[in-house]
Amino acid sequence: MTAGLRERLMQTDALHRAIYSSVNFAYIATDATSLIQIFNVGAERMLGYPAAGVVGKMFPGEMADPQELIDRAQQLSDEFGTPIAPGFESLVYKASRGIEDIYPLTCVRQDGSRLPVELSVTALRDDAGEIMGYLLIGTDNTARKALEDEREKVAHRLQDLQIYTRSLVETSVDALTVVSAAGIITDVNVQMETLTGFDRSELIGSLFSRYFTDPERAQAAIQQVLKEKKISNYELIARAKDGTETVVSCNASVFYDHDGELQGIFTAARDITERIKAEELIQAASVFNIAREGIMITDANGAIINVNEAFTHITGYSRNEVLGKNPRFLNAGVQNKAFYAAMFQLLTEQSHWSGELWDRRKNGELVALMETIVAVRDTRGQVKQYVSLFTDITRLKAHQDQLQHLAQFDGLTNLPNRVLLADRLASGMAQVKRHAGELLAVVFIDLDAFKNVNDNHGHQVGDQLLIALAERMQKTLRVGDTLSRIGGDEFVAVLLDLADVAASVPMLTRLLAAASQPVQLGDLTLQLTASLGITFYPQDEDVDAEQLIRQADQAMYLAKQSGKNRYHIFDAVQDRSVREHYEHLKQLRRALSQNEFVLYYQPKVNMRTGQFVGAEALIRWQHPERGLLLPANFLPSIEDHPLAIEIGEWVIHAALSQISLWHAIGLTIPVSVNIGARQIKQASFVDRVREILAAYPSIQLGELQMEVLETCAFENLNRVSDVIEACRQLGVSFALDDFGTGYSSLTYLKRLPVTLLKIDQSFVANMLDDADDLAILTSVVGLADAFRRQVIAEGVESLAHGEMLLQLGCDLAQGNGIAPPMPATDVPGWSAAWRPDAAWAGLAVVDSDDLPLLFARAEHVARVEAVEQVLQGELKDLPPLNHQPCHFGAWLKAQDGVSPQLQTALQKIEPLHKQLHALEQSLMDIHAQGNGPEARARVGELHGLRDALLAQLKTLAPLRSSA
């Protein structure tokens, strides 16, 4: 287009001027060769290209979807019989031939996004009719496209609804028919075809009334529905094609369209022939109503068709409430599925079942029934009905239970007697045989000096004392355990599901404590002790239940001989294990009393600022013979023992005392102490903390922090949350220790008012060469930030660990790479001398988009290690390589428009990265071909490429941050 023509177009045509200035239309004018002459503001808005960048240039093909250009060129070539090139020619071809051309087109914006438009193309001609250029006007088609998509979705939903509705109709047990107001059938389901014997094609269009023995009555039903809008239980007799007659009960109602116009009548006919026959049969037999037994009759499908008055008296349900229901609604849940499967198998095979079962009355009470069920069959052997006769035997069962209780339970204490003990013990022994690794314990309990009570106070007082002690001992046992009285003052307990011998110790201790507590009987206070003998099952040699009781009895006498008020284990090996445990507890108590415990302190620092932010107090046992022992050598054995609380409080005292000593030399060092599960669960924990803090008045708010394990906190969330909040009022904060190894629930974390999350050292230790651990660590840092919690990493063992953590945004850390745990006397000197490593200085937090840079190290170290394991035969196989790019490979491909310095670094890294993966694949292929030694000989090359790549990766982060 010439400049003169462009000026004439803009000056003389008001419409063109309006369009040119409009932002609602893309207005593009080109000359005959596709050079853009006009590109209005609407085109700039819609396509994202600035006019200055395209005017005077060839119309760019990338402004339109390339596939659509190809398709349009092919379509035009087929239509006009001449080859047409995809691109600008395909856009204006019809217009160049004088054909008005308006069509949809997907445009591609400069940012790569897509926009549906409606494009109008017009050829601009001079006075001689020669083409001077083209005018392309595009309108945004997004709204219309969305509307069309929504209409298509609605159409699909309507189609799905129609299919769903039809499936409901076809699966109905009733014969369903749609009838017009004139009584003409317009639709039926399969059941209607079955009822009449006619096909759907024969039924549709015929009179509804013709399929009944009384067509006039059927037609009258239609009229009644039209008048009253619906009818219920309207009985008719249907006559099938073969003459078979069926009594049906009809329900019908009219239906309308959305304008309220009557569309027709919907009818449902149910076969009630069997019910009618049953009613006729019952009515003929007066015994049905006068029988004392409950009688229930169902059809072959189990639907109740009649019951008598005795049924109502026994169950509480009236006849009308149960008609049509399946008897399973009476099921009390006492019998399992296997019971009913066996019942129906007998009914199928023998047409008869008799037995006892439990049902539930209408008022919710259980009722025991003696029931007989008979299957009534026709001449062909097909079941037509089931008849059930039953008698209420609830009172009889209660009396039987009472007699059984008397036979199995002690009349004084109501504990199991010898009979039930033998049964429970035999059952427990069978369970142990099925579950390898479990133990069962038999405990023989004898009250010490009980004879004196009878002699001094009489047998009535002795009986009351036995009842009280039996109740106490019973409460100490778990659900599933058994405590039995076998006579006099002798009891036997059976303890199940024991992981090992030591697992029985807490229960034995509780039994001894329960037996030794004073008992108040009126004005009389009595106190006894007990001796316990224990044996375990299974044993090396096969033993029976009586032998186990005798073994426990023998062990009990040994306990009496040893001084009473104690227990003795029959098996010598197992007894030694328990005695060693108690000896260990004894040594720990001695160590506490003789001040053999000491605290070591591991510094916690801010790696970014270099600040010494505090220390964690770690207990050590300065054993007089074995030297300095770590907590793992003595703390696990007291986790569930009261001694754990005493040692825990000693730690708090010692830590506060040390803080006070540091105050005296001008140092303020916050200290954190570990709090065990048993300690924090005690009801008086907050009061004890308050009392201990009061003994150290120089301690300031925030100088004491308590660390609680994640598993402990989340198992007792409400209790621990209340404790943490109460301690916060005292100036004591809390940290969640070993975070990530337990539940790590977001809901729990939100509700738990801790100030610090401690990342478990297992994740930190492996994060440099395990991408999964690095991902977990990254997530924990993100969680801490999201929930506004501080986060600290444990187990920082090297400078590389510190670098990685700083780049992830975790500034706080502790670990041997910073400082190992040390005596309190060494802390001031270390604090004065410590400086963060220069390698940590200036490290910025990596942007989330560049996290693949951090993961690259772990991924490639792990990948090379995995390849090496396969080559060495330590790993069976490796996932296929190069099917998907690694995270770093994907990141590399996305780096466009970067700085020259970064581009130079990337040009060095990319070949190394490709060579590494190629060599991995090559070695795997060589190995797969059976040349293992050759592949293993080249592992050094693999290490060299890996190390070179990691060295180059280290240079990228500073370049990315500067870019």
Side-chain angles (χ1 to χ4, degrees), residues 28-31 33-39 49-60 62-63 88:
I28 304 172
T30 73
D31 64 12
T33 65
S34 83
L35 286 176
I36 296 176
Q37 304 298 314
I38 296 176
F39 197 85
Y49 288 87
V54 296
V55 171
K57 297 181 180 178
M58 300 291 286
F59 187 94
E62 60 267 20
M63 282 189 183
F88 186 74

Side-chain angles (χ1 to χ4, degrees), residues 751-787:
R751 293 173 55 191
L752 204 63
V754 298
T755 59
L756 179 69
L757 303 182
K758 298 195 74 174
I759 303 174
D760 186 66
Q761 60 184 340
S762 63
F763 302 127
V764 177
N766 299 322
M767 69 178 179
L768 297 179
D769 53 17
D770 188 323
D772 289 338
D773 280 354
L774 181 58
I776 292 173
L777 194 143
T778 304
S779 299
V780 172
V781 174
L783 275 177
D785 182 63
F787 284 94

Side-chain angles (χ1 to χ4, degrees), residues 465-719:
L465 180 60
L466 285 174
I467 293 171
L469 292 178
E471 183 178 356
R472 283 185 182 176
M473 290 190 292
Q474 176 71 39
K475 289 180 178 179
T476 68
L477 301 184
R478 305 162 302 169
V479 175
D481 294 337
T482 296
L483 178 65
S484 167
R485 180 180 179 230
I486 61 174
D489 61 346
E490 294 178 337
F491 301 82
V492 172
V494 178
L495 311 180
L496 303 175
D497 300 328
L498 300 176
D500 49 34
V501 172
S504 67
V505 172
M507 285 174 277
L508 301 176
T509 304
R510 291 197 296 267
L511 283 170
L512 288 172
S516 63
Q517 292 296 314
V519 177
Q520 191 71 34
L521 299 175
D523 296 333
L524 186 63
T525 301
L526 298 174
Q527 186 172 14
L528 299 178
T529 59
S531 297
L532 278 58
I534 307 96
T535 189
F536 293 91
Y537 180 84
Q539 299 178 5
D540 292 338
E541 297 181 1
D542 192 25
V543 293
D544 59 23
E546 284 299 322
Q547 285 177 292
L548 289 174
I549 294 175
R550 287 198 299 270
Q551 288 177 1
D553 190 11
Q554 294 172 23
M556 180 272 296
Y557 278 106
L558 291 176
K560 283 187 178 293
Q561 293 173 4
S562 300
K564 303 180 182 180
N565 192 26
R566 64 193 62 209
Y567 63 83
H568 187 86
I569 295 177
F570 174 79
D571 187 276
V573 175
Q574 295 171 337
D575 185 35
R576 183 165 55 253
S577 173
V578 175
R579 284 190 285 105
E580 286 175 356
H581 177 69
Y582 262 88
E583 178 62 26
H584 185 60
L585 292 178
K586 183 178 177 181
Q587 291 180 10
L588 286 173
R589 192 171 293 283
R590 187 207 68 240
L592 185 61
S593 65
Q594 297 185 5
N595 294 319
E596 292 177 2
F597 293 121
V598 295
L599 289 184
Y600 272 47
Y601 296 86
Q602 184 169 45
K604 297 186 283 190
V605 302
N606 186 313
M607 298 181 291
R608 194 174 301 280
T609 65
Q611 182 183 3
F612 174 32
V613 298
E616 179 180 1
L618 301 168
I619 192 171
R620 301 288 189 265
W621 182 5
Q622 190 64 59
H623 195 281
E625 298 172 0
R626 300 167 60 191
L628 191 67
L629 301 180
L630 297 177
N633 292 315
F634 57 91
L635 286 185
S637 63
I638 63 168
E639 283 183 356
D640 196 32
H641 192 277
L643 188 58
I645 297 176
E646 296 179 45
I647 293 178
E649 290 189 0
W650 177 88
V651 170
I652 298 175
H653 274 290
L656 292 176
S657 176
Q658 185 58 56
I659 294 174
S660 300
L661 291 175
W662 281 329
H663 284 172
I665 60 175
L667 291 178
T668 299
I669 303 175
V671 173
S672 62
V673 297
N674 292 281
I675 303 298
R678 187 180 181 93
Q679 185 175 6
I680 201 170
K681 287 178 184 177
Q682 62 175 331
S684 61
F685 177 78
V686 176
D687 292 335
R688 290 294 301 141
V689 172
R690 184 183 292 107
E691 293 169 10
I692 295 172
L693 285 172
Y696 302 90
S698 69
I699 302 300
Q700 303 298 310
L701 297 179
E703 287 190 299
L704 177 65
Q705 184 177 72
M706 295 183 175
E707 299 184 9
V708 60
L709 287 175
E710 176 190 0
T711 49
C712 169
F714 289 164
E715 284 175 357
N716 306 274
L717 181 63
N718 293 332
R719 162 70 183 161

Side-chain angles (χ1 to χ4, degrees), residues 819-839:
M822 61 188 71
T825 53
D826 294 348
V827 173
W830 178 90
S831 173
W834 186 78
R835 298 291 184 274
D837 193 90

Side-chain angles (χ1 to χ4, degrees), residues 825-870:
T825 53
D826 294 348
V827 173
W830 178 90
S831 173
W834 186 78
R835 298 291 184 274
D837 193 90
W840 295 347
L843 281 177
V845 178
V846 170
D847 185 83
S848 59
D849 291 338
D850 293 331
L851 281 177
L853 283 175
L854 299 185
F855 279 86
R857 172 189 170 87
E859 285 183 334
H860 289 87
V861 169
R863 186 71 177 185
V864 169
E865 182 179 349
V867 170
E868 192 169 355
Q869 287 176 336
V870 172

